[in-house]
Amino acid sequence: NGNLLRVWTFDASVGKWYFYDPRSSFTQVNTLPPLAQGQLYWMYVEEDQTLGLNGWQRNLVAGWNLIHW
């Protein structure tokens, strides 16, 4: 619904950050691989939202949210 603005994660095994931005101008430069079990993700949403992620109901607040997948 356009609420998601950004997702970031850090892979400590390779020392690299990955990101996802849903805007069409970022389609070719997004680096986020498929979400992986046990990984932490920073998700930025514009408004509070409750949704199902990986079989769990999550309550996200406007701004940055740390999600354990």
Side-chain angles (χ1 to χ4, degrees):
N1 68 2
N3 195 29
L4 178 68
L5 297 182
R6 207 92 63 252
V7 178
W8 282 92
T9 192
F10 182 75
D11 186 340
S13 67
V14 295
K16 187 173 180 181
W17 284 95
Y18 297 95
F19 78 97
Y20 171 76
D21 186 309
R23 294 176 290 183
S24 60
S25 58
F26 284 81
T27 301
Q28 299 300 317
V29 296
N30 283 322
T31 59
L32 187 71
L35 302 184
Q37 185 175 356
Q39 186 71 23
L40 293 172
Y41 297 92
W42 284 101
M43 297 184 174
Y44 190 94
V45 293
E46 249 182 346
E47 300 174 0
D48 294 355
Q49 182 174 359
T50 300
L51 64 150
L53 292 173
N54 198 26
W56 295 87
Q57 183 171 328
R58 309 291 177 118
N59 297 312
L60 305 179
V61 296
W64 287 104
N65 296 267
L66 183 60
I67 302 295
H68 181 256
W69 194 256

